[in-house]
Amino acid sequence: TMKIKGKCDICEKSDGFWGHNLQQCKVCHILVHELCYGMVETTTKDSNFTCHACKAVGTSVEVNVPSKIGGCGKKMGRKRELVKQRHRPKECLLCSHDKGYHAMHPLLDTHGPEGRQLVVDRTVWKDGTARKEKGLAWVHTLCASVICSNPGTESSVYGCDKYGNYYGYDDEGDSDDEEEFTGDNDGVNTKDKDDDKAAKKMTNQSDEEEESGGDEKCA
């Protein structure tokens, strides 16, 4: 197999580095090692490979209402709506860099079967006027990987498959296995690092709200 010239957008290493196979998106032309991007490793080139971000353009995604990090407790999944991905995403919810095309993953609101892609308000400028519109949340694969590998933030973000399951997840939602951003990952979850022992329940409450025993509610 002929090697692809260039470097992986995530690890910045060349094709064949440590035996890792590089693939190129046929739409935006980003380069990613299969392992770095959470794909099943192969030894061949896929001429039809399309990255998650490009594949999402024009699709409508079912999201939770309300959409919030950690979900909204017992009301989770009772109401949903469709949000369309109109353009190839560039903005990462974890950093301020929004120039050029990079490897990206969708950001889910929670783990498990009820998890859906997070919805955020974006400011859109047109003819000198700013307006708010709903948009689907995305993160750079590199940003998520760095956060996941940093000892201080390693439990904040972790990879999951398209069903919202992550490494070590079981039906009870309680596991002592360490989450990691590897494997066949289709999305990224966010998790409150201080909530490991609460049956993997996630929340975006502040420390003050947690100390005061604030109930988790849907807005």
Side-chain angles (χ1 to χ4, degrees), residues 23 62-63 83 108 172 175:
Q23 299 285 4
E62 184 186 63
V63 300
V83 175
L108 309 186
E172 298 299 324
S175 171

Side-chain angles (χ1 to χ4, degrees), residues 8-11 20-25 28 30-41 49-56 88-89 101-106 138-142 144-145 159-161 181-188:
C8 174
D9 185 70
I10 303 165
C11 74
H20 299 316
N21 192 28
L22 202 63
Q23 299 285 4
Q24 183 174 42
C25 176
C28 70
I30 63 164
L31 301 173
V32 291
H33 285 130
E34 292 166 331
L35 181 63
C36 293
Y37 202 47
M39 301 166 59
V40 175
E41 291 193 274
F49 168 67
T50 306
C51 72
H52 294 310
C54 288
K55 191 181 294 184
R88 203 282 193 187
Y101 293 134
H102 295 283
M104 304 194 80
H105 271 76
W138 290 81
V139 296
H140 292 135
T141 308
L142 174 60
S145 298
C160 65
D161 63 21
F181 194 76
T182 59
D184 191 8
N185 295 326
D186 296 309
V188 177

Side-chain angles (χ1 to χ4, degrees), residues 73-181:
K74 295 180 179 179
K75 293 184 179 181
M76 194 76 173
R78 290 186 182 178
K79 184 177 180 182
R80 294 201 170 107
E81 65 180 6
L82 294 177
V83 175
K84 189 171 185 177
Q85 182 68 54
R86 301 184 183 280
H87 308 287
R88 203 282 193 187
K90 292 182 179 180
E91 296 181 9
C92 171
L93 209 64
L94 302 177
C95 76
S96 60
H97 181 76
D98 60 358
K99 306 298 182 184
Y101 293 134
H102 295 283
M104 304 194 80
H105 271 76
L107 182 71
L108 309 186
D109 50 17
T110 189
H111 69 277
E114 299 300 335
R116 295 294 186 274
Q117 193 165 355
L118 183 68
V119 177
V120 294
D121 288 330
R122 301 188 184 281
T123 301
V124 178
W125 289 86
K126 187 175 182 179
D127 299 327
T129 303
R131 62 183 176 85
K132 294 283 188 180
E133 70 173 28
K134 290 182 179 179
L136 296 167
W138 290 81
V139 296
H140 292 135
T141 308
L142 174 60
C143 292
S145 298
V146 169
I147 288 177
C148 218
S149 60
N150 188 308
T153 57
E154 62 182 352
S155 296
S156 301
V157 180
Y158 52 95
C160 65
D161 63 21
K162 61 184 177 181
Y163 303 108
N165 300 327
Y166 52 85
Y167 179 80
Y169 174 82
D170 57 31
D171 291 336
E172 298 299 324
D174 188 9
S175 171
D176 293 328
D177 293 332
E178 181 182 0
E179 296 82 19
E180 56 184 31
F181 194 76

